[in-house]
Amino acid sequence: MSNYVELFRRLDALLVKNRQFWQFMPFVERGFVWHQNLPFCQWLTALDDNQLQLFGDDIHALTAALTPWIEDAEALTQLVTEIQPLARTKTSIPQGFESGIPGRKWQQIIAFNEVLPPLGLPWLEWCAGKGYLGRILAASHQQPVTSLEWQSQLCIEGEQAAKQLGLAINFIHADAFCADSDSAITTHQHAVALHACGDLHVSLLQRVAAKKAAAVSISPCCYHLIRQSHYQPMSTIVKKSTLVLSKHDLRLPLQETVTAGNRVKQLRFVEVSFRLGFDLLQREVSQTETYLSVPNVQKALLNQGFEAFCAWAAARRSLQLPENIDFDKWQRQGEKRFAIIERMELVRQLFRRPLEIWLALDRVCFLEEQGYEVVLGTFCDKPITPRNLLIHAERRDIV
């Protein structure tokens, strides 16, 4: 049994045991989902804005604060630390290669490249876009790159840039989900994907394993972008877990707390509290306890007030509102509910990274089952990207 299987078992047990604290939809609830635990709810309610900010920004402070209420809080946070930074090899990139690449994306690409071992293999860049990563791979490893991308215009622009830089990059216009893309994967190859979403990177791993490709390195992203209604485990060990993950559950690893300015915070407060207030109003009107989602709204509408928002939302959902509604009452209810949801989301943050590692370990264990030696680690610090996990796998019988 590999170390990763053992790590998964420990992590899975903690997530299953504590699912009451993270596996629910806060915006569906009228109040605290843990209403039977009155002291816990009272403690959460008493948190002020400064404490919410502190705990949202500092996982260790949040862990310490939640430990009296969640006995496994420390164990969860400690388990996350078992995933360590990968060894780096500094590379020299010629000037001009960063042209047209956003600064944060450039930092991610450089960091990703620096943890890839030099195996002397041709590269396959999966879901390549304009081939930003491929440029760096071709320049720093002196190996040809095949870049697969389904948007033809991006292929054209990527080819033009590669030609200008004198790089050996061949673009293939193909859908990563279609059988046509199979031809891009060969046995003697190192496949890579930096932040390919959901089923796109799952498809790559499955095809790489089927072709017995020599090596693959991915940084997973957007786990909720799947074609099925619920998560489909890849590995034998994860298929035995009792966790069943919805798309909502799969969004949790992506919910990073970002320090925003007061204007952004206030705009979010207005929009979310309006949505929550309208939801309570529609429940009253429709005599239901079913949450009613509302489409994206033009921010300018929020300036017209809660009543205008409700009229717009009701029209979008074909809901007839009665006369003489006390809109001030429902707006206040929405604001009160916003505070409760903020605190429930804060508790769920404790489980954000553990769930992300749970998902990454499914991919790791799948690759191990397929005959690969696998390493899971981080390729950069979180300020560069919170999606900083990297899975690297090699077939020793080929490389």
Side-chain angles (χ1 to χ4, degrees):
M1 183 175 64
S2 79
N3 291 335
Y4 289 121
V5 170
E6 175 57 29
L7 179 59
F8 172 80
R9 285 179 172 170
R10 287 190 283 135
L11 179 55
D12 183 61
L14 290 173
L15 288 174
V16 169
K17 178 183 174 184
N18 293 281
R19 66 174 74 184
Q20 62 171 309
F21 292 110
W22 64 271
Q23 198 171 27
F24 61 92
M25 293 179 160
F27 51 85
V28 169
E29 305 294 332
R30 277 184 174 267
F32 284 112
V33 73
W34 316 288
H35 57 85
Q36 292 179 328
N37 187 345
L38 186 59
F40 184 36
C41 296
Q42 290 174 332
W43 176 79
L44 286 169
T45 302
L47 294 177
D48 60 29
D49 290 342
N50 290 333
Q51 289 173 306
L52 285 175
Q53 184 73 55
L54 169 65
F55 296 151
D57 292 341
D58 187 341
I59 188 60
H60 297 291
L62 177 62
T63 301
L66 288 176
T67 294
W69 310 103
I70 305 175
E71 64 178 4
D72 294 315
E74 184 62 42
L76 279 159
T77 300
Q78 185 62 36
L79 189 148
V80 167
T81 65
E82 296 190 28
I83 306 302
Q84 293 291 310
L86 297 167
R88 313 180 71 83
T89 302
K90 286 291 182 181
T91 55
S92 178
I93 306 298
Q95 286 188 339
F97 275 58
E98 72 278 16
S99 177
I101 304 176
R104 185 71 60 83
K105 174 58 69 175
W106 174 252
Q107 290 179 295
Q108 293 169 14
I109 289 170
I110 293 299
F112 186 89
N113 181 55
E114 287 180 348
V115 301
L116 298 178
L119 302 177
L121 291 166
W123 299 95
L124 169 64
E125 183 187 13
W126 195 251
C127 303
K130 295 181 183 180
Y132 292 154
L133 174 59
R135 297 178 201 176
I136 304 308
L137 296 174
S140 57
H141 296 271
Q142 282 75 52
Q143 291 290 334
V145 177
T146 298
S147 295
L148 185 138
E149 170 57 42
W150 76 276
Q151 295 189 58
S152 58
Q153 185 58 37
L154 297 185
C155 291
I156 293 170
E157 294 177 23
E159 284 179 338
Q160 291 172 344
K163 188 175 294 185
Q164 290 173 355
L165 294 168
L167 299 173
I169 301 178
N170 174 45
F171 274 81
I172 295 178
H173 176 218
D175 185 340
F177 290 129
C178 291
D180 294 349
S181 60
D182 281 351
S183 61
I185 302 174
T186 65
T187 301
H188 190 68
Q189 188 182 61
H190 188 166
V192 295
L194 173 56
H195 294 158
C197 295
D199 279 346
L200 289 171
H201 71 254
V202 170
S203 175
L204 173 62
L205 296 182
Q206 291 170 335
R207 293 167 189 236
V208 162
K211 288 285 191 78
K212 292 182 167 49
V216 60
S217 304
I218 69 163
S219 177
C221 187
C222 300
Y223 301 93
H224 64 289
L225 295 180
I226 56 177
R227 290 167 290 182
Q228 303 293 327
S229 62
H230 288 75
Y231 181 69
Q232 306 297 307
M234 299 182 69
S235 64
T236 301
I237 184 67
V238 178
K239 288 176 181 176
K240 296 177 182 178
S241 172
T242 59
L243 282 183
V244 177
L245 301 176
S246 67
K247 289 183 180 180
H248 174 74
D249 297 329
L250 295 172
R251 287 179 182 272
L252 178 57
L254 310 177
Q255 294 175 359
E256 294 290 334
T257 301
V258 178
T259 302
N262 289 332
R263 181 180 174 278
V264 174
K265 288 180 181 177
Q266 180 61 25
L267 187 63
R268 179 176 177 274
F269 166 74
V270 170
E271 179 174 356
V272 176
S273 62
F274 277 14
R275 288 175 177 274
L276 295 172
F278 171 76
D279 176 58
L280 291 175
L281 169 59
Q282 71 83 21
R283 293 188 194 205
E284 178 80 10
V285 170
S286 303
Q287 290 297 292
T288 180
E289 276 305 307
T290 301
Y291 173 80
L292 184 66
S293 63
V294 175
N296 290 332
V297 61
Q298 294 288 333
K299 304 306 179 189
L301 178 64
L302 302 176
N303 295 327
Q304 298 178 31
F306 180 64
E307 183 174 350
F309 175 85
C310 288
W312 170 85
R316 290 296 179 279
R317 286 294 180 248
S318 302
L319 177 68
Q320 185 68 41
L321 294 179
E323 300 290 332
N324 303 318
I325 294 174
D326 185 351
F327 286 102
D328 287 343
K329 166 193 167 185
W330 295 109
Q331 183 175 351
R332 289 193 300 272
Q333 290 293 317
E335 292 172 356
K336 181 180 178 181
R337 194 173 166 207
F338 174 87
I340 292 172
I341 283 180
E342 286 282 277
R343 285 153 178 79
M344 287 196 289
E345 289 288 12
L346 181 69
V347 175
R348 293 181 80 231
Q349 282 187 37
L350 177 69
F351 301 88
R352 185 179 61 216
R353 188 66 161 184
L355 182 58
E356 182 176 12
I357 293 174
W358 187 99
L359 291 162
L361 286 171
D362 185 24
R363 289 138 179 81
V364 168
C365 293
F366 167 78
L367 290 167
E368 287 187 331
E369 291 169 5
Q370 299 299 315
Y372 288 83
E373 290 189 13
V374 191
V375 175
L376 171 63
T378 59
F379 69 94
C380 67
D381 294 331
K382 282 206 166 189
I384 296 177
T385 174
R387 306 281 69 74
N388 63 354
L389 293 178
L390 185 142
I391 299 166
H392 174 72
E394 298 178 23
R395 290 189 68 90
R396 285 298 181 192
D397 56 338
I398 296 178
V399 175

